Amino acid sequence: MKRINSDGCRCTRQCGDSIIKNVLFPAATVVLMLAFAASGCSSSASKQSVQESGKKSEPALSESERRINVESFENVWQVVNDTHWDQEFGGVDWAEVRKTHKSLVAAASTQAEARKFIRQALGELGESHFYVIPAELYDDMTGGPRGRGDCGLRLRVIDGRAVVVKVIPGSSAEEAGIQPGWEVLASRDNQLRPFIEELSIEYADSRTITSKLSIAVRGKLRGEVGDELPLRLIDGEEKEYELKLRLTEPSGHKAVFSNLPPAWVDITAKRLEGDLGYISLNTFLDPTFTMGEFNKAMTQFHDCSGVVLDLRGNGGGIAGMAPGIAGWFMKEKGQRLGKMITRDSHVNLIVRPRSKGYYGPLAILIDGLSASTSEFLAAGLQDLGRALVFGSRSAGAALVANMIRLPNGDGFEYAFADYESTGGSRIEGNGITPDVEIVYVRTSLLAGEDAALTAAIDWINESH
């Protein structure tokens, strides 16, 4: 795999049981939890490392604080013991881990040290998706506005900066003249560069650090519909702007699932120059509406020379929709996009081909915020050799995860189901490596270029 930037690309790979029944693998939860996650379960990136770089050291723990930390450790151990999909814990003696690390936590002299020992206990599992999040970061990332208001900006962290990669048409951000490539310096009173720097230390060992940081800064743009969001930005010439953007209902079709908060399905289908079909989809929800729109588009694209499926920023949703969409592109029956593994069952994601599918070149676009169901679909079609994947490494959030708050105030994210791709790969904690990897580059964004889409179009044209 050759990693490249958005000024060019190189293709390194040639493209040549039952559907899960209306089950929501809670992608919104998985992605939110990913944003909370610390860099790992070892001692490599704790608050202590920040303090050692010049911050004031922590005070010694009192006896009551030590007891609360032990209680927190017991909570962590018990949750893993009760919910981990592998009852053998990958060969780890989980009971022995409890004995060994409980005493270490009890003897810890500072909060950072206690957290380090809890992380070390989790590190025995050898998994990348069990995290303890420092209370102060948990508060910072979960506090503040929680509304659904949208200003129309889509951000990614590029070289330690919160950079605009997309401006939603018709939004207040577009009305204000904000362009892709601009950097958001501050949102309300939140200074984003220091925030990103601090989180970067927490995430230091994570393979999907860029995804985690991008998710975190996205949360700084939340607010209630009707509110004004104060922002400070700089453009490509380093000119500074102070703006207030009106927060509105998100664009698209409002979808409600079970007792979860509403989400908005934004699906765009159009023909591009060169007779190419293009579909972008931001979430897998409301199957009746979304599959209806997707089916309508694919029927119109039947004679296209190629199709681009844009899943950048798509955080997932209902897992059973992935095989339904894949059915448009597969001829052979009995193929699967992978399987979900819980302690009690395996669920195969079986593809059911359409009677009149599309079998021409298929390009899939992903980035660091493509997660969950997006990863099932992209990884499955990639493994089956049916699609070429373009863009940057995906979020690596392919598990069903949950978050609890520990008695000591720290957050704890844990997964209780695993996903295995068609080719036997684990996506969680690793993400999908695109066939043609094109990372976001600020200069290209400022120039109005969509390098991943351009590379996908070039590949389709060269396929004929």
Side-chain angles (χ1 to χ4, degrees):
M1 179 73 249
K2 181 177 179 62
R3 184 176 183 272
I4 56 180
N5 62 29
S6 60
D7 296 321
C9 64
R10 179 176 177 183
C11 181
T12 59
R13 169 174 165 180
Q14 294 301 314
C15 180
D17 301 85
S18 61
I19 295 179
I20 196 164
K21 226 188 340 180
N22 236 10
V23 176
L24 177 69
F25 291 114
T29 301
V30 171
V31 171
L32 181 60
M33 295 311 108
L34 181 63
F36 296 150
S39 65
C41 303
S42 69
S43 62
S44 59
S46 70
K47 276 289 182 182
Q48 189 175 20
S49 62
V50 179
Q51 293 153 0
E52 289 170 353
S53 66
K55 287 193 176 184
K56 185 179 179 181
S57 60
E58 283 189 289
L61 295 173
S62 67
E63 285 303 316
S64 63
E65 288 171 329
R66 285 196 173 100
R67 286 195 297 272
I68 292 173
N69 282 332
V70 171
E71 183 183 352
S72 298
F73 170 81
E74 289 283 9
N75 284 12
V76 167
W77 186 92
Q78 195 65 54
V79 165
V80 174
N81 188 68
D82 293 344
T83 64
H84 197 282
W85 57 91
D86 179 7
Q87 295 190 61
E88 301 299 322
F89 305 101
V92 173
D93 187 339
W94 192 235
E96 183 62 29
V97 168
R98 182 185 197 178
K99 293 178 183 177
T100 303
H101 290 79
K102 181 178 179 179
S103 60
L104 293 173
V105 173
S109 59
T110 67
Q111 192 64 33
E113 189 176 26
R115 187 178 299 125
K116 178 184 72 173
F117 292 136
I118 297 176
R119 285 175 170 172
Q120 286 179 346
L122 290 168
E124 298 286 342
L125 294 169
E127 302 287 354
S128 63
H129 45 273
F130 290 82
Y131 301 105
V132 173
I133 299 89
E136 50 270 49
L137 275 182
Y138 185 97
D139 290 334
D140 188 24
M141 299 174 74
T142 60
R146 300 289 302 215
R148 64 173 182 262
D150 184 17
C151 68
L153 292 179
R154 302 296 179 261
L155 305 181
R156 301 294 185 273
V157 172
I158 303 173
D159 297 328
R161 304 289 183 258
V163 177
V164 177
V165 298
K166 184 177 181 180
V167 180
I168 301 301
S171 66
S172 58
E174 184 186 54
E175 293 174 1
I178 300 173
Q179 299 293 320
W182 287 26
E183 179 189 351
V184 179
L185 297 175
S187 175
R188 297 188 177 88
D189 295 327
N190 300 301
Q191 304 298 315
L192 295 189
R193 287 186 184 180
F195 178 63
I196 293 168
E197 183 179 359
E198 186 174 18
L199 289 179
S200 296
I201 296 172
E202 287 294 324
Y203 299 156
D205 294 338
S206 173
R207 295 191 67 192
T208 54
I209 181 172
T210 302
S211 304
K212 293 174 171 65
L213 296 176
S214 295
I215 294 165
V217 298
R218 182 179 63 176
K220 295 300 183 184
L221 302 185
R222 288 192 301 246
E224 297 294 339
V225 172
D227 286 353
E228 285 193 330
L229 176 67
L231 294 178
R232 189 160 55 87
L233 309 95
I234 54 173
D235 63 15
E237 304 298 324
E238 302 299 307
K239 181 180 177 181
E240 189 168 311
Y241 299 82
E242 290 191 5
L243 303 172
K244 289 186 177 180
L245 301 185
R246 185 181 69 261
L247 299 181
T248 62
E249 291 276 346
S251 60
H253 169 78
K254 185 176 181 179
V256 178
F257 185 89
S258 186
N259 61 348
L260 295 174
W264 277 259
V265 179
D266 196 355
I267 181 169
T268 300
K270 58 186 177 182
R271 282 189 182 242
L272 303 178
E273 186 178 350
D275 205 24
L276 303 179
Y278 172 85
I279 303 175
S280 68
L281 178 63
N282 72 326
T283 189
F284 292 89
L285 288 174
D286 197 333
T288 301
F289 169 79
T290 304
M291 293 305 298
E293 293 296 304
F294 195 91
N295 296 346
K296 185 192 307 181
M298 289 307 303
T299 300
Q300 296 171 351
F301 293 163
H302 194 267
D303 61 343
C304 282
S305 58
V307 170
V308 177
L309 177 56
D310 192 345
L311 300 179
R312 291 176 293 183
N314 186 318
I318 299 175
M321 293 176 66
I325 287 177
W328 274 102
F329 306 105
M330 297 296 301
K331 283 183 179 180
E332 297 181 32
K333 295 182 179 180
Q335 300 291 332
R336 62 184 180 88
L337 297 179
K339 61 183 178 182
M340 298 299 300
I341 305 167
T342 69
R343 179 168 289 194
D344 301 319
S345 66
H346 293 180
V347 181
N348 289 315
L349 300 176
I350 300 295
V351 178
R352 310 221 179 253
R354 299 274 175 167
S355 58
K356 295 181 179 180
Y358 176 83
Y359 310 120
L362 171 64
I364 299 178
L365 308 184
I366 63 172
D367 69 4
L369 296 188
S370 303
S372 187
T373 305
S374 293
E375 295 179 295
F376 305 159
L377 180 58
L381 292 176
Q382 183 187 52
D383 282 355
L384 291 169
R386 182 60 191 91
L388 213 65
V389 179
F390 296 77
S392 53
R393 186 185 295 273
S394 65
L399 300 182
V400 186
N402 198 8
M403 167 72 77
I404 62 173
R405 188 118 196 213
L406 299 174
N408 65 6
D410 286 353
F412 175 47
E413 179 191 7
Y414 64 95
F416 52 90
D418 200 5
Y419 166 76
E420 185 178 285
S421 74
T422 308
S425 300
R426 291 190 72 224
I427 304 303
E428 172 64 24
N430 296 309
I432 300 168
T433 301
D435 299 290
V436 183
E437 188 169 9
I438 305 175
V439 298
Y440 288 110
V441 176
R442 190 183 178 209
T443 53
S444 296
L445 292 167
L446 288 167
E449 300 171 358
D450 188 338
L453 177 58
T454 299
I457 293 172
D458 289 345
W459 169 71
I460 291 173
N461 291 334
E462 291 168 2
S463 300
H464 295 284

